[in-house]
Amino acid sequence: MSDRTPFALLTNGTALPWADVPESPVIEFVRAVGSELDRGGRLSSLFGVAEGDAVRLVAVIAFDADSVLSVGRSEPFSARYPALSARHPQAHLFEREVWEQHGVVPEGHPWLKPVRLDHGSGPAVMDFFRVDGREIHEVAVGPVHAGIIEPGHFRFQCAGEEVVHLEIALGYQHRGIEEAMAGGPGRATVYQMETVAGDSTIAHATAYAVALEALGGTEAPLRAQWLRAIALELERLANHTGDLGALAGDVAFLPTSSACGKIRGDFLNLTAILCGNRFGRGLVRPGGCAMDLEPERLGRLRERLGVALADVDQAAAWLWDAASVRARFEGTGRLDGRQAAEIGLVGPPARACGLVRDGRFDHPIGWHRFAQVPVSVWPDGDVFARARVRWLETQRSGEFLREQLEAGPEGDARGGLAAAAADTLAVALVEGWRGEVCHVALTDGAGRLRRYKITDPSFHNWTGLALALRGQAISDFPLCNKSFNLSYCGFDL
Amino acid sequence: MFIHDTILNRLKRGCETMDYPAGDAPALPDRHGGGLRVESARCAADCSACVSVCPTEAITRASGQAVALDLGRCLFCAECVRACPDRAITQTGDHRLAARLREDLVLGGTGKEQVRLAAALNERLRGLFGRSLKLRQVSAGGCNACEADTNVLGTIGWDLGRFGIQFVASPRHADGLLITGPVSKNMALALQKTYAAVPDPKIVIAVGACAIAGGPFVGHSQVSDGAGALVPVDLFVPGCPPHPLTILDGLLRLLDRLGGPSGKG
Amino acid sequence: MDYPAILLIVAACAYVAGMAGALLLRRVGRLALSVGFGLAAVGGACGFLSGVTSLATGQAAARGAVTFWSGPAPNLRLVIQADPLSCFFVTIVSMLGAAIAIYSLGYSGAYLGRKSVGLLAALYNALLLATTLTFVAGNVWVFLIAWEMMALLAYGLVTFEHEDRETRGAAVFYFIMSHIDAVCVMLGFLVLFQAAGDFSFDGLRGVGAKLSSGQRDTAFLLFVVGFGIKAGLVPLHVWLPVAHPVAPSNVSALMSGVLIKTGIYGIARVCFEFLGGPPLWWGALLLALGTVSAVLGVLYALMEHDLKRLLAYHSIENIGIIVMGLGASLMFVSTGHPVLAALALAAALYHTINHASFKGLLFLGAGSVLHATHTRNMEEMGGLVKRMPQTAMLFLLGAVAISALPPLNGFVSEWLTYQALLQGFGSTDSLLRLMFPVGGAMLALTGALAAACFVKAFGISFLAQPRSQAAERAREVPASMRLGMALLAIACLFLGLFPTVFLGWLGPVMNQLTGEALAGRLSLAGGWVLAAPGANAGSVSTAAMTLFGLSFLLVPLFLRRMLGRRAKTVRGPTWDCGLQGLTPRMEYSATGFSKPLRMIFKALFRPHREVQREYEFSPYFARSLRFESHVEEVFEERIYRPTRFWILRVSRRVRALQQGSLQVYLLYIFLTLLGLLLWAV
């Protein structure tokens, strides 16, 4: 391709030959990506592909308004390149990851620190940023946190009770998933995809399935796409209910907290009606769905869904009614829309800052091409807004499910999977309940996976949490953390 | 006004905690399948259909030997059940899967068709922990599903607190650890420190395929293939993730609290 | 024979001998140190015994004034009078002088070779002599001469480490304030002399009745300003937090413990004995000033991270409490409640000796910390409780005492103050009676804030991990230093556990000043219970509380013995969430601790914060970040700085008169002469 079009256009859930992805020298490539981002694009993924001793950078940029993705790659290079993050903060974690995985230094990167690996003093970070000042003290939390929660390390720089700076170091759950994909897919691959982030099984499994189907040039049967959409919304309902309960628990509002704890279990049991496993394991497979919803089962599902939705409605109503809850939620952990856009937030935290970004709406694949869920947005950017967006999504997912469970398409849910084409790149974006899940698959000459990049929505959003805490009281940290509810293992892979 | 609403609602709904173990256990989802049963007598002579489909290589069959299915590595995907032509491996629908010894999870030999369920702790530990067990949960690289299903045990439907079992914030307050996740190398130090911080006598419970043997990540260099590599484990609860009922059954079995005050269940 | 009086003379001789010996031997540092401070300790012990026995046996009350020397002019005499009030204060100065002298035996060792220890010892002895003389002065001359000597000697001691610019400035400031207060006191005495015609204290007694109300009020105000500056009463306190920290720690202890009490002595002597029959507003003014001092003192103390400055602000707070007691007492005298007046006065004087003991102990503790770590900044300390355990325990005792926690002495005197204030509401119909409950509420506030402040002071300085190399290398201080602190700690314990005994000794003082002995009314159950007089008053027994508490302690000890025998103790590191390890940076900082209070009292402190962020392109990733916040000193900024500014401005104008030309000066002389002649006519 000519230098004037350094990117190829692609829609979600499709593939294109590796050779057709335009390449440019890395300096130009970085500049071009920067101007795409300036034009209104959003960086969905930026990663490196090793080529011998050198590495190529690959960028997938999403244009939400146009429902299109642009993909580009750099020529192989080694040692160093000019950092994109210098002017585009949303790329900072991606470039750090490229540095850690491939060793190339992004020059001018404002925060070049490891992402996951241990360099002697614990995973990631190395030296924590220090704020100078007589009254500053540090608070180090983690990795083992006080409740039943995943491990991560938070280093606060506090002046008394106020947080001046927060640095988050993750990587404690690094299991080596991406490394294990090379040469795959193997017997264990789909199970590893389901457990990238155990509470987002459907989202990650769907992204993986769509990527492999795109590589084979096929699509799953319509009934399977319908089932996947239903399972995705059930997953969303379960997790949002759990989040509302957890937020209520953090402000000591027990009616909602105890009710939602139970109702979340009810939603998980709905998924179990569908496939036997409360988290949806074993349902989504490349090529289709392993299980189907017969009429009797569908009837049972619909009935119990109605009961659970009524319960969560009531529990949330109590939450909005209580002045003490509103007093804690409003104004806490505020992020404005400009910051959210600059750091590239996705999912409910982004929508809670007023950004209209939803993968089901912007880049629909599968059943979302035929049935829409309205995007839930709230402008304020504080904990209240994030809770409110979750509640709106609960209601809208509930309506979507009621509508879809009336009748689904005919056909078999199981489909076949064609062999993956050689030297092909496929992209699949799925709007999980935390936000955009992005899987990028690249095959080698034999049709085996050469590089598989997983970007969990938490990869974009952890920076948002670190920013939202600035200037807040440290005692509001659990509340802010729950309001984002990011995945530690999805980040760590 | 939410105050009236919540009180009326609570009065209307009554007690939502399940009767189990005083009553029957709630039914597993019908597609769940429950545990596995291996009757190696049914196996054809040189058949290894199940060995090649298992994602975690939990099934082995040395030539001339009986098939061996390690339930600790098993993800309960049921691929082997579907692959077996002789119905040697079947699903039992039983939620009871917890075992005390690692060997008890390896099925296939004679007399070992199903998992040998966990015996209770010895009398001294039962005396100390039987009515009050405080556990510190350590998430050592898990995917958050086992953590979620452990968390749900604290909600009003399951109410773990009625057995005196509670999750505490500091290992210094704890009687034992409940470990999930394959113990990634990055969490090894934290797990060791947590274990060292728990005062003696202590117990360790490994929940989930990852904590027992590494789960889907078995063999990755970034994980330690289970908690057993670092700390001695007293109870193994298989599953991916184990259904909350399985975890609860394991805990109660350990403390000899099944069947109410009289004990045995 | 008046043995106590002889003991007092022995004490004075010991001081003189110590002074002379230290000066003569000043070349041999170690010998000068031992001789000087040793004799000071002996003198202190004698003075203490003298004071206590005088009070206990009632000989103090029986004494009259003794004239040692008569000069040519009619009023020029050297008169000494050791009456009960004087003996009480002599007890305080001697107790503190002795304990600090023993402490100094070890402390001054740090100066050997660097500075003249002999000079330090000599000045110390001289200061003790001058202070004792101030208290036993029987006439205005002796009083003023001793007062001035005290100021000069204190200045000399404050500038002992004159190499430091901060010290020099502080000492000069102290010097100026001392002289302003000397001027006010002199003018006050002149007003009194005008009516009495006699400079002796005997002659001045009751002179208030002979003065017109305008003159009385003027005298009162002059004395309040003069003695107030000396005591450190808000708004005249600004020199205190500047001068006390820079002096060597043993001197700071003496200054905070004793020198500021001379102001209290002055107010007590003048208001109760000389002026007498006060109008209600005098007591109200003192109560108000005392309340404001107490609250502001502790608030500013909370904001400090310099250990000695923090203690200096606490002195202001405690002086405020003492003055509250004095003010309440004056109000009761003017409304005709002699018993309550005696109660309030007893509370004030009890707090005086209490403050001397625990503040002395705390300053000596701070001195030990300074000796071990070479820093006064709390943000650089930490972890000292393991390295200096005995000092830490003694400091803790002082902290508990100053926070007015039972069963120590601070609790007893504040309890007595509360009793006086609570009964004040019903004592008069005037609107001023509202000041009593307000005063009580403010006292409660200061008590709570003081406790918070000492949690910070002890916690940040001694606990957790050391925050600097210096703190890490700290070692326990020499035995003499610990002995000095221990003596004061014993005093705190005694004053806390046996209040009725002490109040018995205080009886003659009450009698002298208010005519009420009071002691008999204050103790029940053979002296074990302290009771306040009055229908609704309460009673408390610190000794019983302690015995009860100790007996309770037997229960867990017994349980441990029975049940814990088989358990083995395992020591492990603090739980740190599974991290690599905890670092000193993760400990709370002193300024961070007081931040919530700084926010609550924002209107007073007017804190400014400054965040400097250095970044390249994106403010999300700072290259460096600096956070500072400051607190405004209200009195410095709003009163003293503008006053200084205006004084300098006016002076510059007036300087125009200094032409430097002989002719102009001759003209001035001529004009003055002309003026005087015209006036005579």
Side-chain angles (χ1 to χ4, degrees), chain C residues 519-555:
Chain C
R521 292 175 186 249
L522 287 178
S523 80
L524 298 176
W528 285 100
V529 177
L530 176 67
N536 299 318
S539 55
V540 74
S541 174
T542 43
M545 259 189 242
T546 317
L547 285 174
F548 198 56
L550 285 175
S551 61
F552 248 177
L553 200 60
L554 292 176
V555 175

Short mmCIF file of all heavy atoms in Angstrom, two decimals, chain C residues 519-555:
data_model
loop_
_atom_site.label_atom_id
_atom_site.label_comp_id
_atom_site.label_asym_id
_atom_site.label_seq_id
_atom_site.Cartn_x
_atom_site.Cartn_y
_atom_site.Cartn_z
N ALA C 519 -8.22 22.28 103.23
CA ALA C 519 -7.68 20.92 103.16
C ALA C 519 -8.62 19.90 103.79
O ALA C 519 -8.88 18.85 103.23
CB ALA C 519 -6.33 20.86 103.83
N GLY C 520 -9.13 20.23 104.94
CA GLY C 520 -9.99 19.28 105.63
C GLY C 520 -11.21 18.90 104.82
O GLY C 520 -11.69 17.78 104.84
N ARG C 521 -11.71 19.84 104.02
CA ARG C 521 -12.93 19.58 103.26
C ARG C 521 -12.68 18.71 102.05
O ARG C 521 -13.62 18.26 101.41
CB ARG C 521 -13.49 20.90 102.74
CG ARG C 521 -14.01 21.78 103.81
CD ARG C 521 -14.42 23.09 103.13
NE ARG C 521 -14.81 24.07 104.13
CZ ARG C 521 -16.07 24.47 104.26
NH1 ARG C 521 -17.00 24.01 103.49
NH2 ARG C 521 -16.37 25.36 105.17
N LEU C 522 -11.45 18.55 101.66
CA LEU C 522 -11.18 17.90 100.38
C LEU C 522 -10.90 16.41 100.48
O LEU C 522 -10.81 15.74 99.50
CB LEU C 522 -9.99 18.57 99.68
CG LEU C 522 -10.26 19.94 99.11
CD1 LEU C 522 -9.00 20.50 98.50
CD2 LEU C 522 -11.34 19.89 98.06
N SER C 523 -10.72 15.91 101.68
CA SER C 523 -10.39 14.50 101.70
C SER C 523 -11.39 13.71 102.52
O SER C 523 -11.87 14.16 103.55
CB SER C 523 -8.97 14.30 102.24
OG SER C 523 -8.97 14.37 103.64
N LEU C 524 -11.73 12.57 102.00
CA LEU C 524 -12.66 11.66 102.67
C LEU C 524 -11.94 10.34 102.92
O LEU C 524 -10.88 10.08 102.35
CB LEU C 524 -13.86 11.38 101.77
CG LEU C 524 -14.76 12.55 101.37
CD1 LEU C 524 -15.81 12.07 100.41
CD2 LEU C 524 -15.40 13.15 102.59
N ALA C 525 -12.60 9.50 103.66
CA ALA C 525 -12.12 8.13 103.86
C ALA C 525 -10.66 8.11 104.28
O ALA C 525 -9.85 7.38 103.73
CB ALA C 525 -12.32 7.31 102.59
N GLY C 526 -10.34 8.95 105.22
CA GLY C 526 -8.98 8.92 105.76
C GLY C 526 -7.93 9.31 104.76
O GLY C 526 -6.78 8.90 104.87
N GLY C 527 -8.31 10.09 103.77
CA GLY C 527 -7.31 10.57 102.83
C GLY C 527 -7.23 9.78 101.54
O GLY C 527 -6.49 10.13 100.64
N TRP C 528 -7.98 8.70 101.39
CA TRP C 528 -7.92 7.93 100.15
C TRP C 528 -8.75 8.55 99.04
O TRP C 528 -8.49 8.33 97.87
CB TRP C 528 -8.42 6.50 100.38
CG TRP C 528 -7.41 5.68 101.10
CD1 TRP C 528 -7.38 5.38 102.43
CD2 TRP C 528 -6.23 5.09 100.53
NE1 TRP C 528 -6.29 4.63 102.72
CE2 TRP C 528 -5.56 4.43 101.57
CE3 TRP C 528 -5.70 5.04 99.24
CZ2 TRP C 528 -4.38 3.74 101.37
CZ3 TRP C 528 -4.53 4.34 99.04
CH2 TRP C 528 -3.87 3.71 100.11
N VAL C 529 -9.79 9.29 99.42
CA VAL C 529 -10.68 9.85 98.40
C VAL C 529 -10.55 11.35 98.38
O VAL C 529 -10.55 12.01 99.41
CB VAL C 529 -12.15 9.47 98.70
CG1 VAL C 529 -13.07 10.12 97.68
CG2 VAL C 529 -12.32 7.97 98.69
N LEU C 530 -10.46 11.91 97.18
CA LEU C 530 -10.42 13.34 96.99
C LEU C 530 -11.83 13.81 96.69
O LEU C 530 -12.47 13.30 95.77
CB LEU C 530 -9.49 13.66 95.83
CG LEU C 530 -9.37 15.12 95.42
CD1 LEU C 530 -8.69 15.91 96.52
CD2 LEU C 530 -8.58 15.24 94.13
N ALA C 531 -12.33 14.75 97.46
CA ALA C 531 -13.68 15.23 97.22
C ALA C 531 -13.68 16.72 97.07
O ALA C 531 -12.92 17.42 97.75
CB ALA C 531 -14.58 14.82 98.39
N ALA C 532 -14.54 17.23 96.22
CA ALA C 532 -14.65 18.67 96.10
C ALA C 532 -15.75 19.15 97.02
O ALA C 532 -16.73 18.45 97.22
CB ALA C 532 -14.96 19.04 94.65
N PRO C 533 -15.61 20.35 97.57
CA PRO C 533 -16.64 20.84 98.48
C PRO C 533 -17.86 21.29 97.69
O PRO C 533 -17.76 21.66 96.54
CB PRO C 533 -15.97 22.04 99.17
CG PRO C 533 -14.98 22.50 98.19
CD PRO C 533 -14.52 21.32 97.40
N GLY C 534 -19.00 21.26 98.34
CA GLY C 534 -20.19 21.73 97.64
C GLY C 534 -21.22 20.62 97.56
O GLY C 534 -20.91 19.45 97.64
N ALA C 535 -22.46 21.06 97.37
CA ALA C 535 -23.55 20.10 97.41
C ALA C 535 -23.51 19.10 96.27
O ALA C 535 -23.72 17.90 96.45
CB ALA C 535 -24.88 20.87 97.38
N ASN C 536 -23.22 19.58 95.10
CA ASN C 536 -23.29 18.69 93.94
C ASN C 536 -21.92 18.22 93.48
O ASN C 536 -21.78 17.72 92.38
CB ASN C 536 -23.96 19.42 92.77
CG ASN C 536 -25.36 19.83 93.13
OD1 ASN C 536 -26.09 19.06 93.74
ND2 ASN C 536 -25.72 21.06 92.79
N ALA C 537 -20.94 18.40 94.29
CA ALA C 537 -19.59 18.11 93.80
C ALA C 537 -19.31 16.62 93.80
O ALA C 537 -19.99 15.83 94.45
CB ALA C 537 -18.59 18.82 94.69
N GLY C 538 -18.29 16.23 93.10
CA GLY C 538 -17.96 14.82 92.96
C GLY C 538 -16.77 14.44 93.82
O GLY C 538 -16.20 15.26 94.53
N SER C 539 -16.44 13.17 93.72
CA SER C 539 -15.25 12.72 94.43
C SER C 539 -14.57 11.64 93.59
O SER C 539 -15.21 10.98 92.78
CB SER C 539 -15.63 12.17 95.80
OG SER C 539 -16.59 11.16 95.65
N VAL C 540 -13.30 11.50 93.82
CA VAL C 540 -12.56 10.52 93.02
C VAL C 540 -11.40 9.99 93.84
O VAL C 540 -10.90 10.68 94.74
CB VAL C 540 -12.05 11.20 91.71
CG1 VAL C 540 -10.87 12.12 92.00
CG2 VAL C 540 -11.66 10.17 90.68
N SER C 541 -11.00 8.78 93.57
CA SER C 541 -9.85 8.25 94.29
C SER C 541 -8.88 7.61 93.30
O SER C 541 -9.12 6.52 92.82
CB SER C 541 -10.30 7.21 95.31
OG SER C 541 -9.16 6.62 95.89
N THR C 542 -7.82 8.31 93.03
CA THR C 542 -6.87 7.77 92.05
C THR C 542 -6.13 6.58 92.62
O THR C 542 -5.82 5.63 91.92
CB THR C 542 -5.84 8.83 91.64
OG1 THR C 542 -5.41 9.52 92.81
CG2 THR C 542 -6.42 9.80 90.66
N ALA C 543 -5.88 6.62 93.92
CA ALA C 543 -5.16 5.49 94.50
C ALA C 543 -6.01 4.23 94.41
O ALA C 543 -5.53 3.15 94.06
CB ALA C 543 -4.82 5.79 95.95
N ALA C 544 -7.30 4.40 94.71
CA ALA C 544 -8.18 3.23 94.63
C ALA C 544 -8.28 2.72 93.21
O ALA C 544 -8.27 1.52 92.96
CB ALA C 544 -9.56 3.60 95.15
N MET C 545 -8.35 3.68 92.26
CA MET C 545 -8.43 3.28 90.85
C MET C 545 -7.24 2.43 90.48
O MET C 545 -7.33 1.43 89.78
CB MET C 545 -8.35 4.55 89.98
CG MET C 545 -9.64 5.04 89.44
SD MET C 545 -9.24 6.35 88.26
CE MET C 545 -10.05 7.69 89.05
N THR C 546 -6.07 2.87 90.92
CA THR C 546 -4.85 2.15 90.57
C THR C 546 -4.85 0.77 91.19
O THR C 546 -4.52 -0.21 90.52
CB THR C 546 -3.62 2.92 91.06
OG1 THR C 546 -3.81 4.28 90.77
CG2 THR C 546 -2.37 2.40 90.40
N LEU C 547 -5.22 0.71 92.46
CA LEU C 547 -5.22 -0.61 93.11
C LEU C 547 -6.20 -1.54 92.44
O LEU C 547 -5.91 -2.71 92.20
CB LEU C 547 -5.59 -0.45 94.59
CG LEU C 547 -4.49 0.13 95.44
CD1 LEU C 547 -4.99 0.38 96.85
CD2 LEU C 547 -3.30 -0.81 95.47
N PHE C 548 -7.35 -0.99 92.09
CA PHE C 548 -8.37 -1.77 91.42
C PHE C 548 -7.83 -2.30 90.10
O PHE C 548 -7.95 -3.48 89.77
CB PHE C 548 -9.58 -0.86 91.19
CG PHE C 548 -10.85 -1.59 90.90
CD1 PHE C 548 -11.32 -2.53 91.78
CD2 PHE C 548 -11.57 -1.33 89.75
CE1 PHE C 548 -12.51 -3.20 91.53
CE2 PHE C 548 -12.75 -1.99 89.49
CZ PHE C 548 -13.23 -2.93 90.39
N GLY C 549 -7.23 -1.37 89.34
CA GLY C 549 -6.69 -1.76 88.04
C GLY C 549 -5.62 -2.84 88.18
O GLY C 549 -5.60 -3.81 87.43
N LEU C 550 -4.75 -2.66 89.14
CA LEU C 550 -3.67 -3.63 89.30
C LEU C 550 -4.23 -4.99 89.70
O LEU C 550 -3.75 -6.03 89.26
CB LEU C 550 -2.69 -3.16 90.38
CG LEU C 550 -1.76 -2.03 89.93
CD1 LEU C 550 -0.92 -1.56 91.10
CD2 LEU C 550 -0.86 -2.50 88.81
N SER C 551 -5.28 -4.96 90.54
CA SER C 551 -5.81 -6.25 90.96
C SER C 551 -6.48 -6.95 89.79
O SER C 551 -6.44 -8.16 89.65
CB SER C 551 -6.79 -6.07 92.11
OG SER C 551 -7.87 -5.27 91.70
N PHE C 552 -7.09 -6.14 88.90
CA PHE C 552 -7.68 -6.72 87.71
C PHE C 552 -6.64 -7.39 86.84
O PHE C 552 -6.90 -8.38 86.19
CB PHE C 552 -8.37 -5.62 86.89
CG PHE C 552 -9.85 -5.74 86.88
CD1 PHE C 552 -10.62 -4.79 86.24
CD2 PHE C 552 -10.48 -6.80 87.50
CE1 PHE C 552 -11.99 -4.89 86.22
CE2 PHE C 552 -11.85 -6.91 87.49
CZ PHE C 552 -12.62 -5.95 86.84
N LEU C 553 -5.47 -6.80 86.86
CA LEU C 553 -4.39 -7.31 86.02
C LEU C 553 -4.05 -8.75 86.42
O LEU C 553 -3.58 -9.54 85.60
CB LEU C 553 -3.15 -6.43 86.24
CG LEU C 553 -2.08 -6.46 85.17
CD1 LEU C 553 -2.66 -6.01 83.87
CD2 LEU C 553 -0.96 -5.54 85.59
N LEU C 554 -4.33 -9.09 87.65
CA LEU C 554 -4.01 -10.45 88.09
C LEU C 554 -4.81 -11.49 87.32
O LEU C 554 -4.34 -12.61 87.12
CB LEU C 554 -4.29 -10.59 89.59
CG LEU C 554 -3.37 -9.79 90.50
CD1 LEU C 554 -3.80 -9.92 91.95
CD2 LEU C 554 -1.94 -10.28 90.35
N VAL C 555 -6.01 -11.11 86.90
CA VAL C 555 -6.87 -12.10 86.24
C VAL C 555 -6.23 -12.61 84.94
O VAL C 555 -6.06 -13.81 84.77
CB VAL C 555 -8.28 -11.53 85.99
CG1 VAL C 555 -9.11 -12.51 85.20
CG2 VAL C 555 -8.93 -11.22 87.31
#
